[in-house]
Amino acid sequence: MNVEDQLNQLSPEKQQAVIRQLAMQAQQEALSNMMEKMTEVCFKKCAGTSGDKLDSREQSCLALCQDRFFDSKAQVTEALQKRQDSMR
């Protein structure tokens, strides 16, 4: 029996609960992937060879880099939401 058949055997309420759970898991995975990518990109861009601690310039660079990632994510999310709303 495939997943679709198993879902169809559930009540509508349980189907919605499963769908919400899957959506939440997908969001968590996407956030985790974004954080991993942000860390990798910002660290490569900002961290130098100042030793085992970040100096103030590196800390500032990392903060700005993270801010750009979050701003970009917000803009993409807003654009996707507008596109989705226009399709309804």
Side-chain angles (χ1 to χ4, degrees):
M1 182 180 291
N2 67 29
V3 174
E4 188 175 339
D5 291 337
Q6 291 174 347
L7 261 178
N8 287 333
Q9 290 182 350
L10 298 175
S11 69
E13 295 81 17
K14 291 216 184 249
Q15 287 178 6
Q16 288 300 316
V18 168
I19 290 169
R20 280 192 303 275
Q21 180 67 26
L22 291 173
M24 190 179 344
Q25 287 174 349
Q27 285 178 334
Q28 288 173 342
E29 184 175 344
L31 180 59
S32 177
N33 289 340
M34 185 191 80
M35 295 297 289
E36 184 177 322
K37 183 68 174 174
M38 177 184 67
T39 301
E40 179 184 332
V41 168
C42 291
F43 191 82
K44 282 182 182 177
K45 177 181 179 188
C46 299
T49 56
S50 62
D52 58 350
K53 291 187 178 183
L54 297 172
D55 64 26
S56 61
R57 182 194 60 78
E58 291 168 326
Q59 290 176 14
S60 178
C61 179
L62 284 168
L64 291 171
C65 185
Q66 290 171 342
D67 288 345
R68 283 192 297 275
F69 256 84
F70 290 125
D71 289 344
S72 297
K73 180 187 179 300
Q75 288 180 346
V76 168
T77 300
E78 183 180 335
L80 289 173
Q81 185 64 48
K82 285 180 181 177
R83 179 177 288 170
Q84 188 177 27
D85 290 346
S86 71
M87 293 177 151
R88 291 181 186 177

